[in-house]
Amino acid sequence: MGETTSAPSTVALFPQGVSACEATVVLAEAAGDDGPFVIATDRTPFHPLDHTWPDQPGDRGTLTLGGREHAVVDTVTMAAGPDGTLYRAEAIPARRTDPGWSFLVGHVLETPPDGDPADLAGEQAGLAVDVARRSSLSAAHTACHLMSLALNTELRDLWRKVPRTDCLGSPDFDQTAITRSSITPWESVDRYRLGKSLRRAGFDAEALSGRLDAVREGVTARLAEWIAGGGRIAIDTDGPWINSRRWWSCALPPGHARLPCGGTHLGSLGELASVDVRIVIGEGELVVNTTAKQS
Ligand SMILES: [Zn+2]
């Protein structure tokens, strides 16, 4: 893009459950001549699409500048290298933990703000996330984690040798085989490879096809049990910034789950009424549709 910034990483407020705040503009720019207009602030409650594992979409909401409210139609990750060169979304050539890089949350506006963008730095902005949509994405993301852990448990007898184990001690089918996870309001679709490399890792994919119904029933029963437990969910973080590492942690009696996750979640499993799963085998892959209903 050729643009530069020396702004430090954005402070992320969504891990503490904040959905609206005042903030200071640190960067305002249009992506190309007709590209969308993007504003980054020193802190934000908005959750951006992650550039390395784009499972949960960016938040929507509003950004108010100089008394004028703009619709935020998407939220993206931006990053500036050690020389200040700015990159956006999948063009970012660095990982979140690379030294010398700062990571920013870009609020994509539907309409450009008044005046010269260069004059906007230092202005105060009001930020408000669309909480209904956020809540539906959080429900889907929480349900997706529950499904992955229940699936790992139900597939535990199909391993000839044990790969890495998950946080509950089951062979980690999810992290060994997952190729893509996409989260939309109330729903996630997770895709797992079942080909040669998984077989080499010790997984018996042939036996799985004869057992799909039993696996689905087992996953469903486990999910119902966990939801009935109403376990509290916490987001642990090792720093306040958007690129700090974060973990999803949840009581799942008799155990306690904790896994790396940068997304947003419900406050407890008591907020879920039910989670339904549909499991099918497609071409060389297992596809799981997980649908959450909130209570
Ligand atoms: Zn996650």
Side-chain angles (χ1 to χ4, degrees):
M1 291 196 302
E3 277 148 278
T4 63
T5 181
S6 58
S9 291
T10 308
V11 171
L13 299 174
F14 60 82
Q16 296 105 63
V18 175
S19 59
C21 76
E22 293 288 318
T24 304
V25 174
V26 297
L27 178 81
E29 56 133 34
D33 290 340
D34 330 298
F37 202 92
V38 177
I39 284 187
T41 47
D42 60 341
R43 57 196 202 129
T44 185
F46 281 72
H47 172 268
L49 180 74
D50 187 78
H51 70 295
T52 53
W53 184 249
D55 57 350
Q56 182 176 338
D59 275 331
R60 294 178 194 157
T62 59
L63 183 151
T64 305
L65 256 182
R68 188 175 156 208
E69 186 178 281
H70 300 270
V72 175
V73 292
D74 196 7
T75 309
V76 296
T77 302
M78 302 165 86
D83 64 355
T85 304
L86 192 61
Y87 301 87
R88 191 187 296 207
E90 62 274 13
I92 297 171
R95 302 191 67 83
R96 272 183 297 200
T97 48
D98 284 357
W101 283 76
S102 64
F103 283 78
L104 304 173
V105 176
H107 308 86
V108 181
L109 304 192
E110 190 174 44
T111 47
D114 305 321
D116 185 347
D119 296 337
L120 290 175
E123 292 288 308
Q124 289 299 295
L127 300 169
V129 173
D130 175 343
V131 288
R133 180 171 177 275
R134 157 72 74 76
S135 171
S136 69
L137 292 169
S138 293
H141 202 147
T142 294
C144 172
H145 284 201
L146 293 181
M147 178 283 294
S148 71
L149 293 168
L151 185 65
N152 284 347
T153 312
E154 294 307 315
L155 298 181
R156 64 191 181 277
D157 297 334
L158 293 176
W159 291 92
R160 281 187 292 265
K161 55 185 179 192
V162 174
R164 58 194 285 182
T165 52
D166 70 16
C167 57
L168 298 178
S170 301
D172 201 341
F173 174 81
D174 178 76
Q175 285 302 298
T176 307
I178 196 155
T179 55
R180 186 150 190 238
S181 177
S182 46
I183 290 167
T184 51
W186 314 113
E187 195 179 1
S188 75
V189 180
D190 293 85
R191 296 178 176 277
Y192 300 97
R193 64 193 165 90
L194 290 177
K196 240 187 260 164
S197 61
L198 193 66
R199 221 169 311 151
R200 270 201 303 274
F203 186 77
D204 189 350
E206 276 97 81
L208 171 64
S209 51
R211 285 214 219 165
L212 268 192
D213 285 345
V215 167
R216 196 189 71 84
E217 279 163 29
V219 167
T220 302
R222 199 166 294 273
L223 291 174
E225 197 181 305
W226 283 342
I227 291 166
R232 205 179 80 80
I233 296 166
I235 305 295
D236 305 331
T237 171
D238 72 353
W241 297 283
I242 189 61
N243 53 325
S244 300
R245 289 189 303 164
R246 289 185 286 278
W247 293 265
W248 173 82
S249 130
C250 180
L252 295 176
H256 191 103
R258 190 174 191 263
L259 42 92
C261 177
T264 72
H265 289 278
L266 300 175
S268 95
L269 298 186
E271 295 174 44
L272 286 170
S274 64
V275 173
D276 293 321
V277 291
R278 197 162 60 89
I279 305 178
V280 294
I281 291 181
E283 269 179 46
E285 65 174 1
L286 184 76
V287 183
V288 184
N289 282 66
T290 307
T291 310
K293 286 201 184 83
Q294 245 173 304
S295 45

